[in-house]
Structure formats: C-alpha cells, structure tokens
Amino acid sequence: QVQLVESGGSLVQAGGSLRLSCVASGRTFSNYGMGWFRQVPGKEREFVAAINWSGRSTYYADSVKGRFTIARDNAKNTVVLQMNSLKPEDTAAYYCAAFIGDSSAHSYYESSKYDYWGQGTQVTVSS
C-alpha cells in the first residue's frame, strides 16, 4: 500500500502563488510515477501535472503550462506543485496520485492510470 498526504492548500488572491506538497509512504517512492489532479464539485477530475519516476519527464495541462511547475525529491518521498499567477478558475480540490513504474507519455494524463490517491487539499483563488 501507498499512502499519500497533501498539504499547502489555502485561500489566495488572483495573481498569487501557492506550493502544494505530497508526501508518500509505504513503498519505494522512486518507483512511482506521480501526478496532480484537481476537481470542482459537479465536474470530473481534471489532470494538472505529472512527473515520471526519475523527475526527467514532466507533463502539464495546457491550462497551467508556464504557471505551474511539478518537481520531486526522491530522498524526501515528496512531490511538489508550485503554482504561480493563480487564477480564480484554478479553484479546486487538488489531489496527489501515484502509480508504480513508468508509462507511455499519454498515460500520465489519465486518472485511471493511477493506483493511489491522497485525500486532497483545497485551493481557493479569489478575484
């Protein structure tokens, strides 16, 4: 089993920044592909960003490219999502997710690929 715990969500004004963290425990973190997704009530969960096991490959939704950065520290079992230039439409619950091993690029965008999920952290961006 893999446990994922997110933190860092908050209320922030438009144009501001937040840094989300996800700490993993339970298995060898460096074996996981990691992703961030977000969800607004009444809507489907949406891909935000992902990173492969080594950190050499990253993937972003078009809506966050140039504003968000995903990174990982395998020594600390942590993946972070740095969010800059936040917009009201970024308001959502943000979820950290993991799957074991590596995958083709397009799979990182699919929520069904991920085996483990955190409980989520709320990000609210006021206008």
Side-chain angles (χ1 to χ4, degrees):
Q1 276 289 354
V2 175
Q3 293 79 43
L4 304 172
V5 178
E6 305 99 331
S7 62
S10 184
L11 170 64
V12 63
Q13 287 190 333
S17 297
L18 280 177
R19 184 178 179 88
L20 304 184
S21 294
C22 173
V23 178
S25 62
R27 297 186 69 168
T28 306
F29 182 70
S30 58
N31 290 344
Y32 313 155
M34 300 295 298
W36 286 96
F37 290 76
R38 65 188 182 188
Q39 190 168 24
V40 175
K43 293 190 176 181
E44 290 189 1
R45 194 163 290 189
E46 175 188 30
F47 171 79
V48 176
I51 189 166
N52 81 328
W53 66 274
S54 68
R56 293 193 182 101
S57 298
T58 57
Y59 310 92
Y60 296 95
D62 288 343
S63 59
V64 307
K65 275 181 185 175
R67 300 189 298 122
F68 290 12
T69 302
I70 189 171
R72 67 188 297 158
D73 184 339
N74 286 345
K76 296 182 179 179
N77 288 6
T78 300
V79 61
V80 297
L81 183 69
Q82 178 65 42
M83 306 187 295
N84 299 328
S85 302
L86 283 162
K87 305 175 181 179
E89 51 263 44
D90 294 319
T91 295
Y94 282 71
Y95 297 90
C96 175
F99 66 87
I100 303 299
D102 205 350
S103 185
S104 56
H106 74 89
S107 293
Y108 282 85
Y109 296 81
E110 302 294 332
S111 60
S112 59
K113 175 65 179 178
Y114 295 80
D115 301 309
Y116 306 99
W117 293 84
Q119 293 300 305
T121 186
Q122 179 66 35
V123 172
T124 302
V125 184
S126 63
S127 57

